[in-house]
Amino acid sequence: MIASLTGTVAHVGLDRAVVDVGGVGYLVHATPTTLATLRVGETAGVATSMVVREDSMTLYGFGDPDERDVFEVVQTVSGVGPRLALAMLAVHTPDALRRAVAGEDLAALTRVPGIGRKGAQRIVLELGDRLGPPSGALAGPGSVEPAANVGDHSERVVEALAGLGWPAKQADDAVAKVLADAGTDAIAADEVATTLRAALRLLGGHRG
């Protein structure tokens, strides 16, 4: 199994990146949070989890091993596959997920696209204390600190929301509202993850 990759970032897309390791390009699916830390042409390290199916082998990448471990544990819940597990980490940090499960915060869990109230109840019941207590750590070994970057990256957040299943118009309106509340009209590269989570909270609160 491939537990981590260190190499040159060859490509960063909406939901994936390609990391060149010794001349071999590894396609890695990741959350917008992790992708926001990657820069094409720069060296990066990502913790990885390989999901093997009968007809495929898929790599998922994370900013640190803790995020990867949470990704693997939540998939032990019935009905939670890798795509939903990745969506959970797009909306919540590992510690936020731990707090939501420990506190039986169903509202927080249902902010994740694809998780309804019954699914949230099942997650709380089946995970129990298996995620462990919140670590409180800001960064784990192997994590990559996002580099500040000027310019407007709001379109990346809108695309990420659309990738998670929200209509483009709703996604665009949510991002505009978050920007307005923050008193700004642009998103720096290192603010993509924070803005994404704020928009998801807003969208989750308006879910019918």
Side-chain angles (χ1 to χ4, degrees):
M1 303 296 283
I2 301 174
S4 65
L5 292 175
T6 299
T8 303
V9 179
H11 171 75
V12 178
L14 172 62
D15 61 353
R16 66 193 67 187
V18 176
V19 180
D20 188 312
V21 181
V24 178
Y26 290 85
L27 190 151
V28 181
H29 295 266
T31 66
T33 310
T34 299
L35 294 170
T37 68
L38 305 179
R39 301 285 179 274
V40 173
E42 295 185 5
T43 299
V46 290
T48 58
S49 177
M50 178 179 284
V51 176
V52 180
R53 298 285 167 80
E54 288 185 3
D55 58 349
S56 66
M57 290 189 296
T58 308
L59 270 179
Y60 294 86
F62 309 91
D64 59 64
D66 182 43
E67 200 171 44
R68 175 194 60 204
D69 294 345
V70 169
F71 170 80
E72 293 177 345
V73 172
V74 298
Q75 287 181 76
T76 62
V77 176
S78 56
V80 177
R83 295 180 72 86
L84 186 54
L86 200 65
M88 291 169 71
L89 287 166
V91 178
H92 299 292
T93 64
D95 275 355
L97 276 177
R98 291 185 175 101
R99 287 191 291 269
V101 171
E104 299 185 11
D105 189 348
L106 303 185
L109 293 172
T110 55
R111 292 193 189 108
V112 179
I115 297 180
R117 186 173 181 80
K118 288 184 178 178
Q121 290 173 329
R122 185 169 62 249
I123 289 169
V124 168
L125 179 65
E126 295 188 22
L127 282 182
D129 61 358
R130 295 180 60 205
L131 290 177
S135 66
L138 294 178
S143 62
V144 183
E145 291 296 328
N149 189 13
V150 297
D152 184 15
H153 292 260
S154 57
E155 190 61 33
R156 288 179 61 185
V157 180
V158 173
E159 290 176 354
L161 290 168
L164 288 170
W166 295 100
K169 180 64 167 62
Q170 276 187 269
D172 194 56
D173 289 347
V175 172
K177 178 68 164 57
V178 171
L179 288 174
D181 289 347
T184 183
D185 58 0
I187 301 172
D190 58 350
E191 297 170 339
V192 168
T194 302
T195 306
L196 175 65
R197 289 194 172 107
L200 281 165
R201 286 193 293 271
L202 184 64
L203 287 165
H206 286 83
R207 177 175 290 170

